[in-house]
Every structure is written in structure tokens, then in C-alpha cells.
Amino acid sequence: MKKILIVDDDPNLTLYLRNKLIKAGHEVITESNGILAINRLMDFTPDIIFIDYFLPNINGDLLCKIIRKIDHLKDSYLVLMSAAAKELQFDQSNMCPNAFIAKGIFSETLKYFLSAIEDSDKPLSDRQRFGVMGIESVAPRRMTVELLGKYRHLQTMLDSITDGVVEVLNGQIVYTNPAAVAIFGKKQDQLLAAHPLDLFDESEKPKVAALMESQDNKSEIIQLKMPMQTKNKVLSVKKLPLKAGSDTIIIMITDITEQVYTEEALRKYQERLESLVEERTDALNRTSEKLQQAQKMEAIGIIAGCVAHDLNNILTSIVAYPDLMLLQLPEESPLRKMVMSIQESGEKAAAIVQDLLTMARRGVVTNEVVNLNAIISQYLHSPECEKLKLFHPEVHIMTNLE
């Protein structure tokens, strides 16, 4: 008895083969695609695995390579099968699969299944190097059905991807998928047979032409102006590599408009935030400077208050005693002028002390109407002015008062 896994998306064939092989005494499990098969093989070790070449998600040849890399499956006997075996031209020198079967009539296919099972019992050195078994019995209609099924699968994949795919042959578009139709905003019949450069704005055509002629697999950012839209579309256009000498060019187009405009909005928002942070930092620095200045002024005010109180105590006698002396001096006494000068200086000193107290208390000086003529005349006859004249004898002061 053999443990057998059949991976095929044809439910009629797998049901037929499963029933026949179970009757022959084998344990048979079936899966319809490569992903399900890989999940099954995580906890199941079959002796022989039959794999259809055309599967919905992973092709059979790739599935064979994956299975060969799984340790507990390295000795499993692998059989690759397809109704299009002749057209696929299986490379029999690459014995990743141990055998190949061309699927045809169910009964014929069963016969080759049994031959492969029999061959899997033999030691590795005695196993036969079959050609493609059953290729002569494949009905053309079955081959066509299988190839059409694969075509539909590939078409579904192309229709489902969000990137635009444009196939260009001899300078003309021969295929576009629905995503490309949506990106360019034109009907498919308008795109087919058109020259690819005609899809782009004049300013962008040189970049697209250079990309199509380039042998590098690089991409270009293309601006596409769309009618009735305020913002241009931004496309990432890439030429896909093909075999050398091919007249076909495949262009992959990705609409990155939202990404670009989102990045631009984020950049502007970041710049705005940085500007706000800079403004707030400057404002904070200015506030800090003002606070420091206020603290300095407060300290000066405290010192000024202390000095003013001390000076007030000293000036009390300087301001009071000249009044008493003037009462006792006769009018013609030469001392009267000196005493009055002392009195005047004391009053000025008292005024200065009052200014210090005003600053210390952060008060406001009372505004009053004064006579400028009197102030100027008073100063010109003051001891300070007399002293200043002694220091600058070459300076002559002239007045013209109202």
C-alpha cells in the first residue's frame, strides 16, 4: 500500500483516480491547488505525489522544487503531469520530478499512474527513465480545455492586479488590463493599436521613449495631465525585462498620485511644524530675556530702595539746617548765598532719592507743569554749572529764553 497525494484542480479526474487507487489498496488524499498541498504536506508524508502542471496559484514545476526542499519529503516520488506535456516540452534531464505523464483519457491516465507507482517501488538505480508517458493518447480537445483553463486563470490574475499592464508589439499597444484603462481614463478600444507615447503629455514623451529603449530595469516618474482634474496624476512607469530579441515590450504602470501628494502634504506640514516650533522657541527666548530683565530690575529696585532710605536719613539734616541758618543770617550776609546753595543741592539730592524710591516701588512719577525758563536759569546759577564752566573755560553759554 502506498500513501498517495494527488494535486489537481480537475475534480472529475481526481475523483476517478482516487476511487480507482483506493480500490487498489492505496491511501489517497487529493488537493486542488499548490497552497493547500503545501499545508497538507506539513503533517503528511506521502510515498508518491502526482502534481498537475497548471494549478490555480503555484505551477506544478515550482511546487516540485518546493517539495524537494522539505526534509521529510526528499525521498518522495514526484510525478508531473499535464495534457499539454508536448507543448510544454518538459526538460527530462531535470529530474526534479521522477516521471512525467501526459493526461488524456481517464482510463489511460490511470494506467500511467499505476506504472509510476510500480516504478516508485524500485531502488533509485533501477528506476526507469520514462519519456512523457501517455503523450500519444492525449486528445486535442482535452489539451485545449486545459490550456484554456490556464489562460482564464492568468487573465483573472491580470484583471485583478491594481498596477496597469500595457503590452506593446512593434510600436503599437496590443493589450491593456483594466487597471491601465482606469489609469489613463480612456476606453480600451481607444488604447489598443495606439502608440504608447500618445498616451502621455508632450513634456513627458522623451522620458517614456528613453525608458522603452533602455535595457535597464529602472522606473521613471511621469506626470500625466488629466482633463477636468485640478491635480496631475503621478505615475511610476517601468519596463519589464523580456528575452533578448523579443519584439514585445511590457510596461508596468503604477498610479502613485495619492502617495506623492500625501508625501508632499506631510512635508509641508512638517515644515509648518518646524516653523511653529522655531517661532515658539524665539518667543520663549524673548520671554526668558524679559523675565531675566525683570529680575534684574527687581534686584536693582531693592538695592535702590535700601540706598534711598539710607540717603534720606543723611539728607534730613542737610535739607533742614539751611532753613534754620537762613533765619539767623542777616540779608546782607555773604554766607546766605552759600547756605542757599547748600539748601538747593540738598533739595536736588532729595529729589534724586525720591526717584530711587519711585523706581524701587515701581511707582509712576507724578506729572506736573514746570517753567522751563526757571529750570534753565536755576541750573545756570547752580554750583554744578559753575564747576562745569571751570573745567571748560573756552565754552561760553548764551541764552535766549521766552
Side-chain angles (χ1 to χ4, degrees):
M1 183 188 77
K2 294 286 186 183
K3 292 181 179 179
I4 299 173
L5 173 63
I6 301 175
V7 187
D8 198 309
D9 59 344
D10 184 342
N12 296 320
L13 177 61
T14 53
L15 180 61
Y16 173 82
L17 293 173
R18 181 176 181 276
N19 290 337
K20 292 294 184 182
L21 293 174
I22 288 176
K23 285 183 180 180
H26 301 292
E27 178 185 347
V28 182
I29 292 177
T30 64
E31 296 293 354
S32 59
N33 63 62
I35 298 297
L36 294 176
I38 291 173
N39 292 335
R40 173 71 69 176
L41 290 170
M42 292 298 101
D43 54 8
F44 177 59
T45 306
D47 302 303
I48 182 167
I49 306 173
F50 294 93
I51 304 171
D52 185 24
Y53 186 88
F54 292 117
L55 291 171
N57 40 43
I58 300 177
N59 271 354
D61 56 343
L62 179 58
L63 183 57
C64 286
K65 293 177 182 179
I66 293 173
I67 291 173
R68 284 295 186 217
K69 293 181 180 180
I70 301 175
D71 287 340
H72 69 277
L73 300 173
K74 60 184 179 181
D75 295 327
S76 295
Y77 191 92
L78 303 184
V79 181
L80 193 60
M81 52 187 184
S82 173
K86 183 176 181 180
E87 287 72 15
L88 290 170
Q89 297 180 346
F90 287 141
D91 182 5
Q92 298 177 45
S93 63
N94 175 15
M95 292 304 289
C96 178
N98 299 89
F100 303 89
I101 294 177
K103 293 192 296 184
I105 301 171
F106 286 4
S107 58
E108 291 290 327
T109 301
L110 175 62
K111 180 175 66 175
Y112 298 117
F113 265 55
L114 296 174
S115 296
I117 293 171
E118 182 181 349
D119 188 56
S120 68
D121 278 331
K122 299 176 182 177
L124 186 61
S125 57
D126 296 336
R127 289 176 180 173
Q128 298 184 34
R129 291 289 181 125
F130 294 112
V132 180
M133 295 185 290
I135 200 166
E136 67 282 349
S137 63
V138 176
R141 178 177 176 79
R142 173 160 182 83
M143 187 185 303
T144 301
V145 169
E146 184 163 336
L147 290 175
L148 284 175
K150 186 61 177 178
Y151 169 79
R152 292 191 197 97
H153 171 64
L154 293 174
Q155 188 65 48
T156 300
M157 290 178 60
L158 287 172
D159 290 348
S160 300
I161 62 176
T162 56
D163 292 331
V165 179
V166 176
E167 180 182 358
V168 181
L169 177 63
N170 296 326
Q172 290 186 320
I173 298 174
V174 295
Y175 171 78
T176 58
N177 70 336
V181 173
I183 288 172
F184 288 108
K186 301 186 180 206
K187 295 180 180 179
Q188 191 167 36
D189 57 358
Q190 293 176 310
L191 297 177
L192 295 178
H195 193 283
L197 294 184
D198 294 337
L199 302 178
F200 300 93
D201 304 315
E202 287 296 330
S203 59
E204 304 294 334
K205 285 183 179 180
K207 286 198 290 188
V208 179
L211 180 69
M212 293 177 64
E213 295 172 3
S214 172
Q215 300 301 317
D216 300 329
N217 300 328
K218 63 180 183 179
S219 58
E220 286 282 359
I221 303 300
I222 307 295
Q223 296 280 343
L224 182 66
K225 295 180 181 177
M226 303 295 291
M228 306 302 292
Q229 289 191 9
T230 56
K231 293 182 179 179
N232 296 343
K233 277 191 176 181
V234 184
L235 309 179
S236 173
V237 182
K238 184 175 182 179
K239 175 185 174 183
L240 299 184
L242 293 176
K243 291 183 179 179
S246 174
D247 294 329
T248 299
I249 297 174
I250 302 296
I251 299 174
M252 183 73 73
I253 303 170
T254 305
D255 187 347
I256 59 173
T257 306
E258 290 300 322
Q259 174 187 338
V260 169
Y261 284 115
T262 300
E263 289 175 354
E264 178 67 15
L266 286 174
R267 184 186 63 79
K268 290 181 178 179
Y269 184 69
Q270 183 178 5
E271 290 178 353
R272 177 59 181 158
L273 284 179
E274 290 175 354
S275 176
L276 287 174
V277 169
E278 187 174 347
E279 291 176 5
R280 296 293 173 84
T281 302
D282 291 341
L284 183 61
N285 290 336
R286 289 194 296 270
T287 304
S288 179
E289 290 173 0
K290 289 180 180 179
L291 177 61
Q292 291 176 3
Q293 186 67 22
Q295 290 172 339
K296 289 179 182 178
M297 293 302 295
E298 184 176 2
I300 292 172
I302 293 172
I303 295 172
C306 295
V307 171
H309 283 294
D310 291 340
L311 286 176
N312 261 339
N313 295 330
I314 296 171
L315 288 173
T316 300
S317 58
I318 295 175
V319 173
Y321 282 123
D323 284 335
L324 297 175
M325 292 173 67
L326 288 172
L327 290 174
Q328 298 178 15
L329 288 174
E331 291 293 334
E332 65 278 3
S333 175
L335 296 176
R336 287 185 69 87
K337 185 176 181 180
M338 290 185 287
V339 172
M340 290 176 68
S341 179
I342 293 171
Q343 185 185 40
E344 187 178 342
S345 296
E347 290 173 351
K348 289 181 180 179
I352 293 172
V353 170
Q354 186 60 42
D355 289 341
L356 285 175
L357 285 172
T358 300
M359 183 179 69
R361 296 165 184 167
R362 299 185 184 180
V364 178
V365 178
T366 302
N367 293 326
E368 59 180 328
V369 178
V370 297
N371 188 316
L372 287 177
N373 289 351
I375 292 174
I376 294 171
S377 299
Q378 187 180 14
Y379 177 77
L380 290 176
H381 294 88
S382 68
E384 291 89 345
C385 185
E386 294 296 332
K387 186 177 181 180
L388 196 63
K389 289 178 181 179
L390 291 175
F391 291 153
H392 305 281
E394 72 280 5
V395 176
H396 299 279
I397 300 174
M398 298 178 63
T399 61
N400 182 14
L401 304 179
E402 289 291 338

